[in-house]
Amino acid sequence: MRHPNMLIRTLPILLAAAGLTCAQNQDSEVHVWPVQGDIYMIVGAGGNITVQAGKDGVLVVDTGLANMSDKVLAAIKTISTGPIRYIINTHYHADHTGGNAKIRAAGSTITGGNVAGDIKDAAEGAAVIAHNNVLNRLSAPTGTDAPSPEGGWPTSTFLSDQKKLYFNGEGIDILHQPAAHTDGDSIVFFRRDDVISTGDIFTTTAYPIIDLAAGGSIQGTIDALQKIVDMIIPIYGQEGGTMVIPGHGRLCDFGDVLNFREMTIIIRDRIQDMIKKGMTLEQVKAARPTQDYDPLYGSTTGFWTTDKFVEAVYKSLKGEK
Ligand SMILES: [Zn+2]
Ligand SMILES: [Zn+2]
């Protein structure tokens, strides 16, 4: 079943200095949508925020932009007044981690449980879980910019390709996808509620956003999209079943992810063929390898234009940054 009213408008996107964010909202209101089971989605605060709420408290996936934290906290309270125990970050961009410091401070860590052993500061707010590359990106200076404030850094990182958590009676898989949108992307899978939070590996508002400078790649993006497709169990005819919360845009299901993966592979193949013919980047752009998909995903303005996508695919396939 498709959920009603999920046609959330495309967020205007702007590139912040140093590429630390991939989107910025200009709508000052946030909205809460029930997804299924204990899972909710908060939109309008930057990247989409996933909320799982139950008897043990609240877990959020991503925290939106820093300047939206008060509204995000108010929105979380409309879902549950329980303590915020966990924050999981899908990647380091500021539209997904900007609210970490404030939302973490509003929560409290569980002492005991299956991740407490590696939490450094059990007394100081919610635990922030992310792949180690997220911490590296948030804590390392980028060019002339200072690193992001320490209060927003992950407190519990993992180096392997998977971390497991059990919370609110539900198993949660955190699955690292190397070199996709960035080098630190995680897919978060709520096993009982059958919901996947993808971060910016998958969005409905633009072509795949590949942050080459932060270790992203076209092949890694395709591999991660394939992983999401493999995890989904639809009901009939591709609709319903596992629900998918994208990094930006509306709630999705199997057919949406399948179409996005197909589009990405087709455009990758076209650009690969053009590279084999010896075409330059300018020639590839002029040949418009995305033309038939531009009405759905294309853009000539904003942060992630069609030209930038084509350039990222071209450079990624040639092994350039
Ligand atoms: Zn991003
Ligand atoms: Zn984003």
Side-chain angles (χ1 to χ4, degrees):
M1 186 188 83
R2 246 180 221 287
H3 289 247
N5 303 322
M6 295 312 290
L7 288 169
I8 293 146
R9 69 182 180 77
T10 302
L11 296 168
I13 47 180
L14 302 163
L15 178 63
L20 280 174
T21 179
C22 57
Q24 190 159 354
N25 73 307
Q26 293 177 339
D27 178 352
S28 61
E29 293 309 313
V30 302
H31 302 281
V32 176
W33 302 104
V35 176
Q36 62 190 10
D38 289 341
I39 310 295
Y40 299 78
M41 173 179 175
I42 298 175
V43 300
N48 288 331
I49 297 170
T50 303
V51 179
Q52 184 231 37
K55 61 179 170 39
D56 299 334
V58 175
L59 175 151
V60 297
V61 180
D62 290 341
T63 55
L65 290 160
N67 64 358
M68 298 300 289
S69 295
D70 289 338
K71 287 182 175 175
V72 171
L73 284 169
I76 291 170
K77 280 215 167 63
T78 69
I79 300 168
S80 168
T81 54
I84 299 168
R85 298 297 197 183
Y86 293 107
I87 295 167
I88 301 170
N89 286 141
T90 60
H91 65 295
Y92 83 104
H93 286 152
D95 54 323
H96 298 258
T97 60
N100 277 11
K102 204 157 189 179
I103 290 165
R104 177 186 160 213
S108 57
T109 299
I110 296 172
T111 50
N114 65 348
V115 297
D118 52 8
I119 292 169
K120 282 177 273 179
D121 48 356
E124 299 176 25
V128 183
I129 302 171
H131 188 269
N132 199 56
N133 289 345
V134 174
L135 177 61
N136 290 342
R137 299 259 169 220
L138 286 175
S139 58
T142 52
T144 55
D145 288 326
S148 66
E150 190 174 348
W153 295 358
T155 60
S156 174
T157 60
F158 62 103
L159 282 163
S160 57
D161 57 4
Q162 182 176 18
K163 185 173 181 78
K164 296 179 180 184
L165 190 64
Y166 195 81
F167 188 59
N168 283 325
E170 172 158 44
I172 301 159
D173 280 326
I174 307 168
L175 305 165
H176 179 233
Q177 305 300 302
H181 170 65
T182 68
D183 62 5
D185 302 301
S186 288
I187 296 167
V188 182
F189 178 34
F190 296 90
R191 294 171 63 151
R192 188 194 61 204
D193 286 319
D194 202 10
V195 175
I196 300 170
S197 187
T198 68
D200 283 350
I201 293 164
F202 171 61
T203 76
T204 65
T205 53
Y207 284 117
I209 303 162
I210 303 166
D211 188 342
L212 288 181
S217 73
I218 180 63
Q219 189 56 48
T221 296
I222 290 170
D223 292 346
L225 290 168
Q226 182 62 50
K227 174 73 181 172
I228 298 165
V229 166
D230 288 344
M231 289 164 68
I232 297 173
I233 303 178
I235 300 178
Y236 293 111
Q238 300 184 356
E239 290 206 355
T242 311
M243 299 307 294
V244 179
I245 299 175
H248 298 266
R250 62 177 172 80
L251 186 64
C252 292
D253 60 20
F254 185 61
D256 300 309
V257 186
L258 201 62
N259 290 340
F260 192 82
R261 183 204 61 171
E262 290 307 303
M263 172 274 290
T264 306
I265 290 173
I266 286 167
I267 293 172
R268 186 272 317 266
D269 289 349
R270 288 174 184 167
I271 295 174
Q272 185 71 71
D273 284 346
M274 292 175 180
I275 290 171
K276 278 189 192 145
K277 287 177 187 157
M279 290 168 71
T280 65
L281 175 58
E282 289 315 310
Q283 288 169 331
V284 170
K285 282 181 184 170
R288 301 193 60 192
T290 63
Q291 188 167 14
D292 44 340
Y293 291 103
D294 285 347
L296 277 175
Y297 302 107
S299 174
T300 55
T301 59
F303 148 61
W304 196 243
T305 60
T306 303
D307 269 1
K308 284 197 171 160
F309 168 62
V310 170
E311 182 169 340
V313 174
Y314 182 91
K315 286 183 171 174
S316 184
L317 289 171
K318 293 196 88 171
E320 300 168 1
K321 288 275 178 193

